Structures are given as structure tokens and as C-alpha cells.
Amino acid sequence: MRGCCPGAPTFKGFLLIENLIEIKGARHAYQTASGPLPVLDGLDVAVPAGTFAAVVGPSGCGKSTLTKLVAGLMKPDEGEVWLHGERVTGPRKTVGMAFQNPVLLEWRSILDNVILPLEIVAPKMPTKDRTARAMELLEMVGLAGFENKRPSELSGGMRQRASLCRSIVHKPEVLILDEPFGALDAFTREDLWQTMRDLRAAEPFTAVLITHDLRESVFLGDQVIVLSGRPARTQYVMDVDLPADRTLDVLFTPPAAEMLHTLRDQIKIAQGRADEGGV
Amino acid sequence: MLRKIITPVLAILIFLGLWELLVWANGWPNYKMASPSDLPPAFWKYKELFLLMGWQTLWRTVVGLLLAVIVGTLIGMIIGFSKLARDALYPLLVGFNAIPKATLVPVISLIFIGQHDFNTILMAFMISFFPIAVSVGIGLSTLEPEYRDILRALGASRFTIFRKIALPKTLPEFFGALKVSATLAFIGTNLVEIVSPHGRGLGALFKSGETNGDYPLMFAVLIALAVLGIVLYYAVIFLERTFAGWADREGT
């Protein structure tokens, strides 16, 4: 492993870094025509290696800004972003991203869309190996047999599955998901949650998921981070104490209901509506 | 496939029939309006000139159009990627495009006196680069940020992002503009050939028909120009099918 952190504890030759992703006290303001617009004001996020962090918060609170910080696409005005014990100063090849819009390239087949990141990250990798890796993922998400189709020939849910494959094809350390299931219908969305859970078990990434769906955050997350309204700060962090191989049924158990209720209250606080009556 | 050919051919025949009928019904003489039946003799009489001058018009138009593609794409890239350049260049481009190009023929004929081939190509270029520049510019500036970010997050260079994503994504808009530009370039070429004739190109043949009162010849030139225009248009369609056929979602 990298010699980044002298004296850091190791285990079987691997560095034991407690948090693979760490954001400390991030503050940021966008410069607009009508003056600076603060979006982040004291953002703290810590995601242990191999875990899944769901981030929820009111609309427009700066959740997408958070993804850009982790991806190294922008730097905060103040505060620090660390990935794998290294200060983030720019984009890095160990990041994968998927968005609400699957942004597949219409002139490429599904297979070639999934391969795209490998062309950047591993330009010398033989075509045979690239294809094998992409096919492995496509099979895992149930798209075997669709690899030669064009994106427009697939349904919205299938496109999003292909987009997920593309985001992890290069085995990124960090997977950033910016509301990838937001535009899907409820049943397709639940299917995709299960696909995501299975991918998580098979692939080694650490994930940050931005979402508006509290059930999604509880089903997929090891922790749920609630951001306050704009400018965003970390308002509440909840550990999701449910088994890793959870099924959708878990959402209908009392512990999950309890968590959802707590999160709902936190969102109301974030929206500045805490003193209103029943949910 | 057969239907795809028969339908337009039939439409052309009907058009020629109606034209013939119009001239016949009104009893117009040749010097008022030639009828389609007057054209084959005119073509046959001047067949060498049609081949020679048609070729002169065609190659100068194609060279002007190629120049428009290169310069138009470059300008499009500049205004597509830089907001500053967009703000600075748009009024200039629109203003230049608004100038009737006929007024520029004497200007360039004076600047580059005697350089007839060059002047003709220059005019074909000037009249046809604008749609290409605008469409490439719009195609690039409206690229959704997510498309960029999937590669930018991996540390891909701007050039890689342009080559792998922005360029292919802009191709449908580019070919849409190229179809407009191809016909515009013909107008540019003929403008110079008619306004400032040097005995070259179909425009000069048209002019000589006018001078000699040979009206069937003038109409024959117009038809020849239309045929060249159609040929170039379908050449562009062929390129579009080859390079941006994916954008055609017919049947899906």
C-alpha cells in the first residue's frame, strides 16, 4: 500500500485507516451575480472503509456540492477533504460516479458505455479483459444479453443499471451516487436498491449516496447523515443498525420504522418546520 | 427501398408536367418562360460547357464548404467552451452573417483582383460557415455537466473529454447545419460567378445565356444547379448516416 501515513496501523499489510472518506469543517460559497451564496457551513462527514453513507437533506441544501468535493471536482473555501489518508486536491482515478440522469452515450453500445472508464483509467488493459470485466458486472445487474443494444433501446431502470456498472467497472475505492434512483418509478427503484445491495456485497467500494428518499437511506446506508437547510452543515448522524444482508421486509419492522420517524423529524428541523403539527 | 426511389422521381415528373402545362396553357413564348421540353436540346447543345462549368462550380463549392467546416467548427469550439468568447464573438458573427453577401462580391473582387477561383471559394466559405459555427457552439455549450463529470472525475484531460464525449455528441447538430451550409455554399459560388463572371462556372454560363437571350439555356443552368445541390445534399446525408447514424432512432 501507499506510504502515506507513517506509523499508521496495518493489518496483513493493509493500512488500517479508520475513515476512507473524511470531510472536516467544509465551508463553501458560490460566487453569483448577487454576491456570494453560501452552500456549505460546517460540513463533517466520516465514512469508514467499505461502508455505505446515505446523505439526506432538504432540496437545494448543497448535497450535490458534497459529491463534487469528494470527487475532487471542486475545492472547499475552507476545511479539508481526505480520501484514503490523502488530502484531495483534484480528480483521481479511484472514484466512480453515477447520477440521476444515467448519461449513457447514445453512439456506444451498452457494453462500450460500461467500458468507457477503463479507457481512461487503464488504457493498456487488453480489450478481452475489459469486455470480461464489463460483462461480469452486466450479468450481475441482470443486463446479460443487452450488451449490444443502444441506450435508447433500454428502459429507464435498465439504463440506470448500466450506469451503475459503468461507475464501478474500474473498481473505484469511492463510489459517489447522486440520486441515481430519483427518476425511477417506485417498483423499479426498489429493484435497483436490491441490485445495489448485491453489488455492494460483491465489489469493494466505499459509497456516498445522495438521496431524497428516507426509506432508501435506511435500506442501503450503514449510516444516514442529515444535512441542514442551506447553507448545509451536518445536523444529525444516525447509525443504521440493521443486518448487512437486509431485505426489503426489514423496512416494515419496528426498528426501521423508529429510524424513519427519527429521520423524518430531523428533516423537518432541517426545513425549519419543526414546530408544525403531525407529519 | 424501391419505393424510396420511385416516390421522389414521381414527384419530380409531376412537377415537370405541371410546369409544361403552365407554359403551354398560357401560350408563353421561350423568351418569357422556357418549358421542360426546351431543356434537353439546350443541355445537348452546350453539353461540353455544362460538364466543364458544372465541375468548376462543384469543386469550388466543395472546397469553400470544407473551409467552412474547418473554420466553423473551430469558431464553434471557441464559443462553445468559453463564455467570454461567446459574449465577445456572437454580435460580430451575427452582424457579419446579416450583411447581404452580394454586396461583398465587388469588395473581395477588388481586394483579390483577378483571383477568381480564390474569390469564389472565399464567398462560398463566408456564406456557409455561420450555421456550422453556431450549431457546434450550441452543441458544446449545452452539453450536460454530468457528461463531462463522468470522465472529468477520473482525471481525463479536456481533449479526451472533447474527443470521447463532446465531439460525437455534437455530430447530429453539426450535420444538421452542414445540410443548410451545403446549399448556402452553392449560392455563394454562383453569386461570384454571376456578379463578377470570369467565364468560369455555371453562373458564367447563366450570364452568357442572359446576354445572348438564350432563355432555354438559362433555365437549363438553373436545373443543373439544382441537380448539383441535390448531389451535394445527399453526399452530406451519406456522411451523416456513416458518422452519426446512431442519432436516427427510427423504428425504436
Side-chain angles (χ1 to χ4, degrees), chain B residues 150-192:
Chain B
I150 46 175
L151 288 193
R152 205 159 69 100
L154 297 171
S157 68
R158 281 179 78 106
F159 177 71
T160 306
I161 296 173
F162 176 74
R163 189 167 55 87
K164 291 217 183 267
I165 295 187
L167 181 72
K169 193 152 171 51
T170 313
L171 277 182
E173 281 101 334
F174 169 81
F175 278 109
L178 193 57
K179 287 178 210 163
V180 177
S181 291
T183 38
L184 281 179
F186 265 112
I187 297 177
T189 314
N190 277 277
L191 214 51
V192 178

Side-chain angles (χ1 to χ4, degrees), chain B residues 23-44:
Chain B
V23 177
W24 177 78
N26 284 297
W28 282 333
N30 257 348
Y31 53 82
K32 188 158 186 178
M33 183 153 170
S35 58
S37 56
D38 297 329
L39 300 183
F43 275 121
W44 186 250

Side-chain angles (χ1 to χ4, degrees), chain A residues 68 73 91-93 95 97 99 103-108 116-117 119-121 150 152 166 170, chain B residues 144-147 149-156 160 164-166 168-170 246-247 249 252:
Chain A
K68 293 206 170 87
L73 293 175
R92 43 174 64 212
K93 296 186 188 305
V95 169
M97 288 184 104
F99 309 91
V103 289
L104 297 175
L105 311 180
E106 186 56 37
W107 55 92
R108 285 171 173 247
L116 180 70
E119 293 172 13
I120 310 295
V121 172
R150 299 270 165 191
S152 59
R166 180 180 59 192
H170 53 301
Chain B
E144 293 92 330
E146 289 101 334
Y147 278 97
D149 285 350
I150 46 175
L151 288 193
R152 205 159 69 100
L154 297 171
T160 306
K164 291 217 183 267
I165 295 187
K169 193 152 171 51
T170 313
W246 52 266
R249 297 192 187 177
T252 59

Side-chain angles (χ1 to χ4, degrees), chain A residues 64-94:
Chain A
S64 290
T65 308
L66 164 63
T67 64
K68 293 206 170 87
L69 290 183
V70 178
L73 293 175
M74 56 173 266
K75 273 190 237 171
D77 293 340
E78 274 178 56
E80 297 171 1
V81 182
W82 294 78
L83 282 192
H84 206 120
E86 284 174 35
R87 186 85 180 264
V88 173
T89 52
R92 43 174 64 212
K93 296 186 188 305
T94 55

